[in-house]
Amino acid sequence: MAPIPGSGLAKGLAVTLRTMTKKSVTAQYPDAQPDLPPRTRGVIGLFEENCTVCMLCARECPDWCIYIDSHKETVPAATPGGRERSRNVLDRFAIDFSLCMYCGICIEVCPFDALFWSPEFEYAETDIRDLTHERDKLREWMWTVPAPPALDPGAEEPKELAAARKAADKLAAQQAPPATEPHADEQARAAEQPTRPQGDSKQQTDQPKPDQPKPDQPKPDQSKPGQEGSA
């Protein structure tokens, strides 16, 4: 069956008419900020305290847009007679977002959770050279990272939280005041109370001792030797 001439035009006008009668849903950006999902790939935030300068993120980056500089410092021994150790100190951590393709490989390979996705997206620049952001800017973006989703009710507690709680309990136990001694009146009252020998039960204390005569037996003659003959 051949289509009716002008049916396509009528359908198009009908769609236009329905759209014109509906309320507009356009977000007035930048007056109204968009509601972004928590896993939005905006920029990469750096948590500098967790970075050990292992260079895994820079090696695995397919665009080579991560620049890291560091130096080594000697850490004195923690205990007498111990051995000194050396550790890497971060001097520079920069990401060139003009080269970054937002693959997230650097975040996935970081073994110490030093890199995170931030939903921040307002970092446009007029000069492409200004898109290389240093660690100070990356640290500012770290505070825009949303909180991780809650764990399942039956999930185990993370090891980091368990270790932190154990350390806090140990510190609280060390700082707790010593137990107070009992009052002098209580000490005197405890000293006046008779103490029962250990191992002697009530039944044993009620029974007469072997060297004492029973009540129904006559007492033996306690006269001294020689008195009987003189009598």
Side-chain angles (χ1 to χ4, degrees):
M1 183 177 178
I4 302 174
S7 60
L9 179 60
K11 291 180 180 179
L13 292 175
V15 172
T16 303
L17 183 61
R18 287 197 302 267
T19 305
M20 291 175 61
T21 56
K22 290 182 179 180
K23 185 178 180 181
S24 177
V25 293
T26 303
Q28 301 299 325
Y29 177 83
D31 297 333
Q33 292 292 329
D35 188 11
L36 301 175
R39 298 184 66 180
T40 299
R41 295 189 176 189
V43 291
I44 299 173
L46 172 66
F47 192 55
E48 188 177 340
E49 286 75 7
N50 287 357
C51 182
T52 61
V53 201
C54 64
M55 304 294 291
L56 278 177
C57 55
R59 293 180 203 159
E60 298 297 332
C61 178
D63 293 333
W64 292 84
C65 63
I66 301 177
Y67 311 108
I68 300 176
D69 294 332
S70 65
H71 69 278
K72 289 192 175 184
E73 287 185 356
T74 302
V75 180
T79 57
R83 186 180 61 179
E84 295 181 349
R85 298 181 180 274
S86 61
R87 66 184 182 94
N88 293 326
V89 178
L90 184 65
D91 293 331
R92 185 194 182 198
F93 195 107
I95 299 179
D96 187 356
F97 285 97
S98 65
L99 297 177
C100 180
M101 65 180 187
Y102 305 92
C103 63
I105 293 178
C106 58
I107 298 176
E108 295 177 2
V109 300
C110 181
F112 302 104
D113 292 335
L115 298 175
F116 297 87
W117 276 119
S118 168
E120 184 68 30
F121 63 93
E122 297 176 328
Y123 56 95
E125 300 289 346
T126 57
D127 191 348
I128 193 173
R129 292 172 294 184
D130 296 335
L131 286 175
T132 301
H133 295 288
E134 301 293 334
R135 62 177 183 177
D136 296 336
K137 188 64 176 180
L138 300 180
R139 185 178 181 85
E140 292 179 8
W141 283 332
M142 181 62 204
W143 311 125
T144 63
V145 175
L151 298 176
D152 295 335
E156 296 182 358
E157 185 182 29
K159 296 181 180 179
E160 296 82 1
L161 294 179
R165 183 174 291 106
K166 184 177 180 180
D169 295 343
K170 184 178 179 180
L171 181 61
Q174 293 176 354
Q175 295 179 351
T180 57
E181 298 182 357
H183 198 266
D185 297 342
E186 297 179 359
Q187 293 181 354
R189 193 180 302 110
E192 293 176 358
Q193 294 180 357
T195 58
R196 180 179 296 177
Q198 296 182 357
D200 294 341
S201 60
K202 185 177 180 181
Q203 297 178 357
Q204 293 176 350
T205 54
D206 294 338
Q207 295 179 358
K209 295 183 179 179
D211 56 346
Q212 293 181 356
K214 295 183 179 180
D216 53 350
Q217 294 181 357
K219 296 182 179 180
D221 189 8
Q222 298 180 354
S223 59
K224 298 181 180 179
Q227 291 181 357
E228 184 178 356
S230 62

